[in-house]
Amino acid sequence: MGVTKQLYQLQEVDSGLESGTQALSQIISRLGENQAVSNARSKLASEQQGLEELKHQQHSLEWEIDDVVAKLITAEEELYSGRIANPKELANLQREIDGLKLKRCQLEDKVLEVMEQVETNSATVSRLTNELETLEEDWRSQQQQLAADRERLEATLSELKHKRELLSAGIVSQAVELYDELKRQKGTAVAKVEQGICQGCRISLSGAELQRARGDRLSQCSNCGRILFLE
Ligand SMILES: [Zn+2]
């Protein structure tokens, strides 16, 4: 095998290594990352807290109503017991009863309002809970997929590294040095020649250059300096 073909193979291995390494680092950055899940979790937590507060408010109002009702019963018993004969005292008692009834009415309106809010918030909490479960499930399966991809890629990369070692060991060291230097400078060191054109810089090669590229010895494009490879 000619040295340019060997170098071209080396370049293919290198480009596989580069894209594989890039893909691997993307996978690694996504492994363990769960921004969406933690956002959903904190949204749910704050919604749950709001719901707890509303329930607490509802219970306080219910206790308040019980209290007013108890007072009302006592006052009404007193009113109808016949123990009070004084008209002024009776009128006072009636006023107290009216006041308690009004207060009960107001508290009942309030508690109904709060109960409606509790209902709405409960629905939101259960919707968010479902959403979170779905997100967590998706996240888990995505993480499993990523872990599998990572394993597969790492195996591919280690195969490629091994292949590179074998390949570069079989190439004259000066050629590998030139390859490395060109790769560092230009990104790609070996350019294919297609229809007389260097695919590295898209310049037509002279007949002499093509002749040289066809030979066994290493030749470089006179324009871009890349190693020319003719299949
Ligand atoms: Zn060129």
Side-chain angles (χ1 to χ4, degrees), residues 13 16-17 20-21 23-24 27-28 146-164:
V13 169
L17 276 168
T21 307
L24 184 62
I27 286 172
I28 288 169
L146 285 171
D149 288 349
R150 177 187 182 160
E151 212 171 300
R152 189 178 46 77
L153 256 178
E154 279 172 345
T156 307
L157 284 173
S158 98
E159 267 171 43
L160 283 173
K161 275 178 196 153
H162 183 63
K163 199 171 172 188
R164 192 188 200 282

Side-chain angles (χ1 to χ4, degrees), residues 18-147:
E18 270 163 37
S19 59
T21 307
Q22 224 170 42
L24 184 62
S25 78
Q26 269 175 0
I27 286 172
I28 288 169
S29 76
R30 286 174 66 201
L31 268 168
E33 195 280 319
N34 65 346
Q35 197 55 53
V37 172
S38 80
N39 285 350
R41 210 173 271 156
S42 61
K43 202 170 155 196
L44 174 61
S46 91
E47 210 51 55
Q48 276 169 329
Q49 200 192 338
L51 181 59
E52 284 314 306
E53 280 162 19
L54 280 170
K55 281 182 178 169
H56 181 73
Q57 210 180 327
Q58 184 189 335
H59 291 144
S60 304
L61 284 167
E62 283 165 352
W63 288 327
E64 236 182 297
I65 291 171
D66 287 347
D67 193 42
V68 170
V69 168
K71 279 181 185 157
L72 198 54
I73 289 168
T74 314
E76 280 177 334
E77 272 173 9
E78 185 84 3
L79 182 68
Y80 301 119
S81 68
R83 284 194 296 269
I84 302 166
N86 184 326
K88 201 179 165 191
E89 266 182 62
L90 279 173
N92 280 345
L93 194 55
Q94 188 59 58
R95 241 198 320 278
E96 192 192 332
I97 287 167
D98 291 344
L100 285 167
K101 279 181 176 166
L102 181 67
K103 194 168 183 198
R104 185 183 62 186
C105 235
Q106 287 167 338
L107 287 169
E108 278 170 350
D109 285 348
K110 226 172 171 181
V111 87
L112 276 175
E113 217 173 275
V114 173
M115 278 162 81
E116 266 174 39
Q117 283 180 327
V118 165
E119 213 173 297
T120 312
N121 278 42
S122 298
T124 309
V125 163
S126 76
R127 179 175 55 78
L128 290 177
T129 305
N130 287 339
E131 281 175 10
L132 179 61
E133 273 169 21
T134 309
L135 271 175
E136 282 175 333
E137 224 169 272
D138 289 351
W139 185 79
R140 269 193 296 275
S141 69
Q142 184 208 53
Q143 291 293 305
Q144 274 173 1
Q145 183 61 52
L146 285 171

Side-chain angles (χ1 to χ4, degrees), residues 198 200-201 221 223-224:
C198 165
C201 64
C221 170
N223 182 56
C224 69

Side-chain angles (χ1 to χ4, degrees), residues 191 198-203 205 220-226 228:
C198 165
Q199 296 302 306
C201 64
R202 307 259 156 198
I203 289 283
L205 299 165
Q220 289 173 260
C221 170
S222 60
N223 182 56
C224 69
R226 289 186 178 88
L228 294 169

